[in-house]
């Protein structure tokens, strides 16, 4: 459910229709799936709705809006007013790029690298591309989230492209991993582009905030674990860490 200013957007659209377009609120409550036309909204009422939405949300509804339900109008407004999600987070790891690349692209061992993943099941490998199922630890509500993703490595360009195959609450989720050598080690950067489905529990802005917060936590964990592995490797190889 999309929420604006702490209130469901559907409620705001309904109030606009009641105040400006002559909608009978009781009829709308009895028939939540009815189209605007079925609720008695004529062309003049739809013009007034369009004008109010354009003024309040800077959104224009299509001419066939009369065929939409109130929920569908709310979803349309939400999509137009909530830009796609985009995050970029990175960290410098005090370890050589080949080691960082090897450990972070060993998908089967991600539960040992990330704290959020309980299990990884490799479903298919095709050259540089791997398809796999990720299963997370239960969240604060006891829900276990799981989905299928696919990622393709490109060592020559020091990058990885990934996307969710099973998108769940996302309309799409694409992830770009970049690796750069710096004086202090290897900078690993995650860039995520996504959009949430209208019925998702979070909108794009909400998910952006959640991903940013979680990415910082996971990057710090990965940094600590890889640097520890680099130290162990350096000790066991007498400092020759290629």
């Amino acid at each position: 459910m999309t929420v604006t200013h702490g209130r469901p957007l559907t409620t705001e659209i309904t109030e606009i229709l009641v105040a400006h377009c002559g909608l009978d609120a009781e009829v709308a409550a009895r028939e939540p799936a009815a189209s605007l036309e079925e609720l008695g909204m004529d062309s003049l009422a739809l013009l007034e709705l369009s004008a109010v939405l354009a003024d309040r949300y800077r959104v224009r509804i299509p001419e066939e809006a009369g065929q939409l339900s109130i929920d569908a109008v709310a979803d349309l407004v939400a999509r137009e007013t909530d830009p796609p999600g985009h995050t970029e987070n990175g960290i410098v790891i005090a370890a050589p790029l080949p080691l960082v690349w090897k450990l972070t692209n060993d998908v089967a061992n991600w539960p040992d690298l990330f704290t959020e993943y309980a299990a990884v099941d490799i479903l298919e490998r095709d050259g540089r591309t791997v398809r796999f199922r990720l299963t997370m630890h239960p969240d604060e509500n006891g829900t276990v989230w799981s989905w299928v993703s696919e990622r393709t490595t490109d060592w020559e360009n020091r990058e990885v492209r990934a996307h969710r195959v099973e998108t769940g609450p996302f309309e799409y989720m694409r992830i770009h991993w970049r690796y750069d050598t710096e004086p202090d080690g290897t900078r690993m950067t995650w860039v995520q582009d996504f959009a949430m489905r209208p019925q998702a529990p979070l909108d794009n802005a909400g998910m952006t905030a959640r991903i940013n917060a979680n990415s910082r936590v996971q990057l710090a964990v990965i940094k600590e674990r890889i640097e520890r592995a680099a130290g162990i490797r350096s000790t066991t190889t007498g400092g020759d860490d290629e």
Side-chain angles (χ1 to χ4, degrees):
M1 177 183 296
T2 301
V3 176
T4 59
H5 305 101
R7 306 171 69 236
L9 186 53
T10 299
T11 299
E12 294 191 9
I13 301 300
T14 301
E15 291 178 354
I16 290 171
L17 286 164
V18 170
H20 298 273
C21 307
L23 174 68
D24 186 321
E26 293 184 0
V27 173
R30 288 197 304 268
E31 303 180 44
S35 69
L36 297 182
E37 289 180 351
E38 292 170 336
L39 292 174
M41 299 294 95
D42 59 17
S43 59
L44 290 177
L46 294 175
L47 284 174
E48 183 63 22
L49 173 63
S50 180
V52 175
L53 294 181
D55 180 64
R56 184 174 300 186
Y57 301 107
R58 301 296 187 266
V59 171
R60 295 193 178 279
I61 58 176
E63 293 182 1
E64 60 273 18
Q67 301 170 19
L68 303 177
S69 66
I70 295 176
D71 279 345
V73 172
D75 287 344
L76 185 153
V77 172
R79 287 194 298 272
E80 293 295 324
T81 56
D82 188 21
H86 175 83
T87 66
E88 181 168 339
N89 293 278
I91 200 165
V92 176
I93 302 171
L97 190 151
L99 181 62
V100 175
W101 178 273
K102 177 182 178 181
L103 294 180
T104 58
N105 286 294
D106 184 4
V107 176
N109 286 317
W110 274 8
D112 294 327
L113 191 62
F114 294 77
T115 60
E116 59 185 342
Y117 300 136
V120 177
D121 297 309
I122 303 300
L123 304 178
E124 181 181 351
R125 291 187 184 274
D126 182 10
R128 298 178 177 181
T129 300
V130 58
R131 179 171 290 202
F132 54 98
R133 174 171 292 281
L134 276 173
T135 302
M136 301 186 75
H137 293 289
D139 64 15
E140 61 274 13
N141 299 315
T143 302
V144 175
W145 298 93
S146 180
W147 65 90
V148 173
S149 287
E150 187 173 281
R151 59 191 276 115
T152 300
T153 59
D154 181 356
W155 168 251
E156 288 77 10
N157 291 304
R158 309 299 194 263
E159 65 179 8
V160 179
R161 300 281 181 175
H163 67 277
R164 283 199 184 199
V165 177
E166 294 178 356
T167 55
F170 296 91
E171 289 188 0
Y172 62 88
M173 163 61 83
R174 295 188 289 268
I175 309 174
H176 181 202
W177 296 45
R178 297 198 309 264
Y179 300 79
D180 299 286
T181 299
E182 296 195 356
D184 295 330
T186 302
R187 176 173 291 278
M188 182 173 66
T189 305
W190 296 341
V191 178
Q192 295 175 258
D193 291 287
F194 60 90
M196 305 305 295
R197 296 185 186 278
Q199 65 271 27
L202 292 174
D203 59 13
N204 293 339
M207 183 56 73
T208 295
R210 174 171 291 189
I211 288 174
N212 277 329
N214 186 62
S215 293
R216 294 179 189 117
V217 171
Q218 294 304 314
L219 284 167
V221 169
I222 291 170
K223 171 182 171 69
E224 188 275 329
R225 291 180 175 179
I226 293 180
E227 289 180 350
R228 184 169 66 239
I232 293 172
R233 180 177 178 184
S234 178
T235 299
T236 58
T237 60
D240 183 17
D241 192 5
E242 296 181 355

mmCIF file of all heavy atoms in Angstrom, residues 130-155:
data_model
loop_
_atom_site.group_PDB
_atom_site.id
_atom_site.type_symbol
_atom_site.label_atom_id
_atom_site.label_comp_id
_atom_site.label_asym_id
_atom_site.label_seq_id
_atom_site.Cartn_x
_atom_site.Cartn_y
_atom_site.Cartn_z
ATOM 1 N N VAL A 130 26.120 -17.423 -13.459
ATOM 2 C CA VAL A 130 25.620 -18.390 -12.490
ATOM 3 C C VAL A 130 24.219 -17.965 -12.054
ATOM 4 O O VAL A 130 23.961 -16.785 -11.828
ATOM 5 C CB VAL A 130 26.560 -18.506 -11.265
ATOM 6 C CG1 VAL A 130 26.741 -17.162 -10.573
ATOM 7 C CG2 VAL A 130 26.041 -19.536 -10.274
ATOM 8 N N ARG A 131 23.324 -18.940 -12.002
ATOM 9 C CA ARG A 131 21.962 -18.703 -11.500
ATOM 10 C C ARG A 131 21.850 -19.445 -10.171
ATOM 11 O O ARG A 131 22.258 -20.609 -10.069
ATOM 12 C CB ARG A 131 20.916 -19.194 -12.502
ATOM 13 C CG ARG A 131 19.488 -19.000 -12.015
ATOM 14 C CD ARG A 131 18.471 -19.293 -13.102
ATOM 15 N NE ARG A 131 18.503 -18.270 -14.161
ATOM 16 C CZ ARG A 131 17.489 -18.045 -14.981
ATOM 17 N NH1 ARG A 131 16.372 -18.751 -14.902
ATOM 18 N NH2 ARG A 131 17.587 -17.107 -15.910
ATOM 19 N N PHE A 132 21.294 -18.789 -9.177
ATOM 20 C CA PHE A 132 21.306 -19.355 -7.832
ATOM 21 C C PHE A 132 20.106 -18.870 -7.020
ATOM 22 O O PHE A 132 19.506 -17.830 -7.328
ATOM 23 C CB PHE A 132 22.598 -18.971 -7.103
ATOM 24 C CG PHE A 132 22.857 -17.486 -7.083
ATOM 25 C CD1 PHE A 132 22.524 -16.714 -5.991
ATOM 26 C CD2 PHE A 132 23.452 -16.855 -8.183
ATOM 27 C CE1 PHE A 132 22.760 -15.343 -5.974
ATOM 28 C CE2 PHE A 132 23.697 -15.481 -8.174
ATOM 29 C CZ PHE A 132 23.348 -14.734 -7.071
ATOM 30 N N ARG A 133 19.767 -19.639 -5.985
ATOM 31 C CA ARG A 133 18.710 -19.238 -5.064
ATOM 32 C C ARG A 133 19.343 -18.778 -3.757
ATOM 33 O O ARG A 133 20.159 -19.484 -3.172
ATOM 34 C CB ARG A 133 17.735 -20.379 -4.786
ATOM 35 C CG ARG A 133 16.694 -20.018 -3.710
ATOM 36 C CD ARG A 133 15.596 -21.037 -3.585
ATOM 37 N NE ARG A 133 14.751 -21.031 -4.776
ATOM 38 C CZ ARG A 133 13.803 -20.136 -5.027
ATOM 39 N NH1 ARG A 133 13.584 -19.138 -4.158
ATOM 40 N NH2 ARG A 133 13.089 -20.199 -6.126
ATOM 41 N N LEU A 134 18.961 -17.591 -3.333
ATOM 42 C CA LEU A 134 19.403 -17.034 -2.061
ATOM 43 C C LEU A 134 18.292 -17.179 -1.028
ATOM 44 O O LEU A 134 17.124 -16.897 -1.323
ATOM 45 C CB LEU A 134 19.740 -15.550 -2.206
ATOM 46 C CG LEU A 134 21.129 -15.167 -2.710
ATOM 47 C CD1 LEU A 134 21.187 -13.665 -2.936
ATOM 48 C CD2 LEU A 134 22.196 -15.600 -1.725
ATOM 49 N N THR A 135 18.645 -17.612 0.159
ATOM 50 C CA THR A 135 17.687 -17.689 1.262
ATOM 51 C C THR A 135 18.255 -16.909 2.432
ATOM 52 O O THR A 135 19.399 -17.140 2.838
ATOM 53 C CB THR A 135 17.422 -19.141 1.681
ATOM 54 O OG1 THR A 135 16.928 -19.878 0.554
ATOM 55 C CG2 THR A 135 16.396 -19.201 2.804
ATOM 56 N N MET A 136 17.475 -15.993 2.949
ATOM 57 C CA MET A 136 17.937 -15.145 4.047
ATOM 58 C C MET A 136 17.589 -15.759 5.392
ATOM 59 O O MET A 136 16.737 -16.651 5.497
ATOM 60 C CB MET A 136 17.313 -13.752 3.938
ATOM 61 C CG MET A 136 17.634 -13.028 2.647
ATOM 62 S SD MET A 136 17.015 -11.327 2.626
ATOM 63 C CE MET A 136 18.211 -10.533 3.706
ATOM 64 N N HIS A 137 18.240 -15.267 6.425
ATOM 65 C CA HIS A 137 17.833 -15.620 7.778
ATOM 66 C C HIS A 137 16.467 -14.987 8.053
ATOM 67 O O HIS A 137 16.110 -13.973 7.440
ATOM 68 C CB HIS A 137 18.859 -15.103 8.786
ATOM 69 C CG HIS A 137 20.190 -15.781 8.691
ATOM 70 N ND1 HIS A 137 20.388 -17.084 9.082
ATOM 71 C CD2 HIS A 137 21.398 -15.335 8.240
ATOM 72 C CE1 HIS A 137 21.657 -17.420 8.886
ATOM 73 N NE2 HIS A 137 22.290 -16.376 8.362
ATOM 74 N N PRO A 138 15.669 -15.541 8.960
ATOM 75 C CA PRO A 138 14.360 -14.946 9.267
ATOM 76 C C PRO A 138 14.491 -13.483 9.680
ATOM 77 O O PRO A 138 15.428 -13.115 10.391
ATOM 78 C CB PRO A 138 13.843 -15.822 10.423
ATOM 79 C CG PRO A 138 14.568 -17.123 10.257
ATOM 80 C CD PRO A 138 15.928 -16.768 9.742
ATOM 81 N N ASP A 139 13.540 -12.660 9.205
ATOM 82 C CA ASP A 139 13.576 -11.253 9.591
ATOM 83 C C ASP A 139 12.949 -11.072 10.968
ATOM 84 O O ASP A 139 12.646 -12.042 11.670
ATOM 85 C CB ASP A 139 12.889 -10.379 8.532
ATOM 86 C CG ASP A 139 11.396 -10.678 8.386
ATOM 87 O OD1 ASP A 139 10.814 -11.338 9.276
ATOM 88 O OD2 ASP A 139 10.812 -10.237 7.377
ATOM 89 N N GLU A 140 12.748 -9.801 11.354
ATOM 90 C CA GLU A 140 12.240 -9.516 12.696
ATOM 91 C C GLU A 140 10.839 -10.065 12.931
ATOM 92 O O GLU A 140 10.407 -10.238 14.074
ATOM 93 C CB GLU A 140 12.254 -8.000 12.951
ATOM 94 C CG GLU A 140 11.382 -7.180 12.006
ATOM 95 C CD GLU A 140 12.101 -6.803 10.724
ATOM 96 O OE1 GLU A 140 13.176 -7.357 10.443
ATOM 97 O OE2 GLU A 140 11.559 -5.942 9.988
ATOM 98 N N ASN A 141 10.129 -10.365 11.828
ATOM 99 C CA ASN A 141 8.781 -10.940 11.951
ATOM 100 C C ASN A 141 8.778 -12.451 11.770
ATOM 101 O O ASN A 141 7.706 -13.070 11.734
ATOM 102 C CB ASN A 141 7.851 -10.305 10.910
ATOM 103 C CG ASN A 141 7.713 -8.809 11.101
ATOM 104 O OD1 ASN A 141 7.534 -8.335 12.221
ATOM 105 N ND2 ASN A 141 7.813 -8.046 10.018
ATOM 106 N N GLY A 142 9.966 -13.029 11.628
ATOM 107 C CA GLY A 142 10.053 -14.468 11.438
ATOM 108 C C GLY A 142 9.873 -14.918 10.003
ATOM 109 O O GLY A 142 9.862 -16.120 9.723
ATOM 110 N N THR A 143 9.765 -13.966 9.074
ATOM 111 C CA THR A 143 9.585 -14.302 7.659
ATOM 112 C C THR A 143 10.934 -14.640 7.022
ATOM 113 O O THR A 143 11.914 -13.939 7.242
ATOM 114 C CB THR A 143 8.949 -13.127 6.894
ATOM 115 O OG1 THR A 143 7.694 -12.794 7.508
ATOM 116 C CG2 THR A 143 8.720 -13.490 5.429
ATOM 117 N N VAL A 144 10.955 -15.725 6.249
ATOM 118 C CA VAL A 144 12.163 -16.124 5.539
ATOM 119 C C VAL A 144 12.000 -15.740 4.068
ATOM 120 O O VAL A 144 11.094 -16.233 3.393
ATOM 121 C CB VAL A 144 12.423 -17.639 5.658
ATOM 122 C CG1 VAL A 144 13.622 -18.045 4.810
ATOM 123 C CG2 VAL A 144 12.654 -18.019 7.115
ATOM 124 N N TRP A 145 12.850 -14.857 3.568
ATOM 125 C CA TRP A 145 12.791 -14.398 2.187
ATOM 126 C C TRP A 145 13.755 -15.211 1.329
ATOM 127 O O TRP A 145 14.871 -15.506 1.731
ATOM 128 C CB TRP A 145 13.137 -12.919 2.090
ATOM 129 C CG TRP A 145 12.186 -12.032 2.826
ATOM 130 C CD1 TRP A 145 12.309 -11.576 4.105
ATOM 131 C CD2 TRP A 145 10.951 -11.518 2.336
ATOM 132 N NE1 TRP A 145 11.226 -10.801 4.444
ATOM 133 C CE2 TRP A 145 10.375 -10.743 3.382
ATOM 134 C CE3 TRP A 145 10.271 -11.618 1.127
ATOM 135 C CZ2 TRP A 145 9.162 -10.092 3.245
ATOM 136 C CZ3 TRP A 145 9.063 -10.953 0.991
ATOM 137 C CH2 TRP A 145 8.522 -10.208 2.028
ATOM 138 N N SER A 146 13.296 -15.572 0.136
ATOM 139 C CA SER A 146 14.124 -16.355 -0.775
ATOM 140 C C SER A 146 13.783 -15.973 -2.202
ATOM 141 O O SER A 146 12.621 -15.689 -2.517
ATOM 142 C CB SER A 146 13.869 -17.855 -0.554
ATOM 143 O OG SER A 146 14.661 -18.640 -1.428
ATOM 144 N N TRP A 147 14.784 -15.944 -3.072
ATOM 145 C CA TRP A 147 14.551 -15.595 -4.467
ATOM 146 C C TRP A 147 15.699 -16.118 -5.335
ATOM 147 O O TRP A 147 16.762 -16.487 -4.833
ATOM 148 C CB TRP A 147 14.433 -14.078 -4.638
ATOM 149 C CG TRP A 147 15.697 -13.330 -4.322
ATOM 150 C CD1 TRP A 147 16.720 -13.005 -5.177
ATOM 151 C CD2 TRP A 147 16.103 -12.832 -3.036
ATOM 152 N NE1 TRP A 147 17.711 -12.333 -4.533
ATOM 153 C CE2 TRP A 147 17.367 -12.211 -3.206
ATOM 154 C CE3 TRP A 147 15.509 -12.851 -1.775
ATOM 155 C CZ2 TRP A 147 18.042 -11.617 -2.144
ATOM 156 C CZ3 TRP A 147 16.194 -12.265 -0.716
ATOM 157 C CH2 TRP A 147 17.435 -11.650 -0.914
ATOM 158 N N VAL A 148 15.467 -16.144 -6.636
ATOM 159 C CA VAL A 148 16.471 -16.589 -7.589
ATOM 160 C C VAL A 148 17.098 -15.371 -8.259
ATOM 161 O O VAL A 148 16.387 -14.452 -8.681
ATOM 162 C CB VAL A 148 15.864 -17.524 -8.654
ATOM 163 C CG1 VAL A 148 16.888 -17.838 -9.759
ATOM 164 C CG2 VAL A 148 15.378 -18.812 -8.006
ATOM 165 N N SER A 149 18.417 -15.366 -8.315
ATOM 166 C CA SER A 149 19.163 -14.293 -8.980
ATOM 167 C C SER A 149 20.122 -14.890 -10.002
ATOM 168 O O SER A 149 20.375 -16.101 -10.005
ATOM 169 C CB SER A 149 19.952 -13.467 -7.964
ATOM 170 O OG SER A 149 19.119 -12.646 -7.194
ATOM 171 N N GLU A 150 20.630 -14.011 -10.845
ATOM 172 C CA GLU A 150 21.603 -14.428 -11.853
ATOM 173 C C GLU A 150 22.673 -13.357 -11.942
ATOM 174 O O GLU A 150 22.371 -12.163 -11.915
ATOM 175 C CB GLU A 150 20.897 -14.608 -13.203
ATOM 176 C CG GLU A 150 21.767 -15.197 -14.294
ATOM 177 C CD GLU A 150 20.964 -15.499 -15.550
ATOM 178 O OE1 GLU A 150 20.261 -16.539 -15.580
ATOM 179 O OE2 GLU A 150 21.000 -14.673 -16.482
ATOM 180 N N ARG A 151 23.943 -13.781 -12.037
ATOM 181 C CA ARG A 151 25.031 -12.806 -12.130
ATOM 182 C C ARG A 151 26.067 -13.285 -13.126
ATOM 183 O O ARG A 151 26.321 -14.482 -13.268
ATOM 184 C CB ARG A 151 25.654 -12.520 -10.759
ATOM 185 C CG ARG A 151 26.218 -13.696 -10.059
ATOM 186 C CD ARG A 151 26.567 -13.380 -8.597
ATOM 187 N NE ARG A 151 27.870 -12.764 -8.448
ATOM 188 C CZ ARG A 151 28.077 -11.530 -8.009
ATOM 189 N NH1 ARG A 151 27.070 -10.742 -7.715
ATOM 190 N NH2 ARG A 151 29.307 -11.063 -7.883
ATOM 191 N N THR A 152 26.654 -12.312 -13.818
ATOM 192 C CA THR A 152 27.658 -12.589 -14.842
ATOM 193 C C THR A 152 28.907 -11.785 -14.522
ATOM 194 O O THR A 152 28.854 -10.556 -14.403
ATOM 195 C CB THR A 152 27.134 -12.222 -16.242
ATOM 196 O OG1 THR A 152 25.959 -12.994 -16.516
ATOM 197 C CG2 THR A 152 28.189 -12.518 -17.303
ATOM 198 N N THR A 153 30.025 -12.476 -14.383
ATOM 199 C CA THR A 153 31.284 -11.809 -14.055
ATOM 200 C C THR A 153 32.017 -11.383 -15.327
ATOM 201 O O THR A 153 31.924 -12.018 -16.367
ATOM 202 C CB THR A 153 32.192 -12.744 -13.241
ATOM 203 O OG1 THR A 153 32.460 -13.933 -14.002
ATOM 204 C CG2 THR A 153 31.535 -13.132 -11.931
ATOM 205 N N ASP A 154 32.746 -10.295 -15.208
ATOM 206 C CA ASP A 154 33.543 -9.762 -16.318
ATOM 207 C C ASP A 154 34.873 -9.293 -15.733
ATOM 208 O O ASP A 154 35.045 -8.132 -15.367
ATOM 209 C CB ASP A 154 32.788 -8.609 -16.985
ATOM 210 C CG ASP A 154 33.545 -8.012 -18.173
ATOM 211 O OD1 ASP A 154 34.694 -8.440 -18.426
ATOM 212 O OD2 ASP A 154 32.994 -7.110 -18.826
ATOM 213 N N TRP A 155 35.822 -10.223 -15.637
ATOM 214 C CA TRP A 155 37.123 -9.909 -15.020
ATOM 215 C C TRP A 155 37.872 -8.843 -15.802
ATOM 216 O O TRP A 155 38.528 -7.978 -15.221
ATOM 217 C CB TRP A 155 37.955 -11.181 -14.911
ATOM 218 C CG TRP A 155 39.393 -10.929 -14.564
ATOM 219 C CD1 TRP A 155 40.474 -11.069 -15.374
ATOM 220 C CD2 TRP A 155 39.897 -10.445 -13.314
ATOM 221 N NE1 TRP A 155 41.628 -10.721 -14.713
ATOM 222 C CE2 TRP A 155 41.303 -10.325 -13.447
ATOM 223 C CE3 TRP A 155 39.306 -10.090 -12.101
ATOM 224 C CZ2 TRP A 155 42.120 -9.878 -12.422
ATOM 225 C CZ3 TRP A 155 40.121 -9.640 -11.071
ATOM 226 C CH2 TRP A 155 41.510 -9.535 -11.225
#
